[in-house]
Amino acid sequence: MLDLLPIAAAVFGIPQYLPQILKLRATGDTAGVSWSWATLTSLNNAAWFVYFMLSGYWTASLPSTAASVLAGTVAVMLVRRGALNRRAVGWIAGWAGLLAVAGLVGGRVGLGTLLAAASIVQVAPSLWTAYRTAHPTGISQLTWALVFGELSCWLAFGLWKTDSRLITLGATGVLASVLMLARTRRTAVPLASIDAAGSRA
């Protein structure tokens, strides 16, 4: 049964950034959504794809590919809406260079070692942006619920396979998604309040 965890991760992982894309398209609201997070997510998942292929985790290629493409789409949409973080461009380019060097020089082990820290690098901008934004109304709760589902599966699979890289990925992702969901729920404007404000207007 535990061998099926990557398939379960794929079920959660493949569509996970679609809710964020649809919300951005419908509302144009970027409040609390980090361009750095979307860009790093796209970049890191492309690197995870390489790691999964080198490790023989074939089913993992689907969610990593989907995450890379869809998170990249979120990043492009944020740029078009003026949410580009110009100060982060340089260090993200540096991180991409490090991933490339790790893969070329160290192969699977080198890339995997660097990717063990990638999850922390990836989620930090999302948490920083969400918790510094008074009302992070642009964040899709469904996207982060799906992130929680996927990374819970990878955490369990990593524990079973004693893969420290997957354990780090899963644990960091689960913690980050819980914090993001807590933040969006805490700052959400109740629908009743919106209706009352509309009635008074």
Side-chain angles (χ1 to χ4, degrees), residues 75-177:
V76 171
M77 293 175 73
L78 289 171
V79 169
R80 290 178 176 175
R81 287 160 175 77
L84 171 66
N85 185 345
R86 297 184 185 279
R87 292 177 298 178
V89 172
W91 69 266
I92 290 176
W95 176 254
L98 281 176
L99 288 172
V101 170
L104 291 172
V105 176
R108 172 184 173 275
V109 174
L111 182 60
T113 300
L114 191 58
L115 282 172
S119 53
I120 299 173
V121 172
Q122 178 178 313
V123 300
S126 62
L127 292 169
W128 176 261
T129 303
Y131 277 82
R132 289 196 68 194
T133 303
H135 299 288
T137 52
I139 297 172
S140 168
Q141 290 186 354
L142 181 53
T143 282
W144 284 99
L146 290 169
V147 169
F148 176 83
E150 182 199 5
L151 275 301
S152 295
C153 292
W154 284 123
L155 175 59
F157 188 71
L159 288 169
W160 181 52
K161 293 290 187 179
T162 61
D163 187 322
S164 61
R165 300 163 186 86
L166 290 179
I167 292 171
T168 302
L169 169 69
T172 305
V174 166
L175 177 60
S177 57

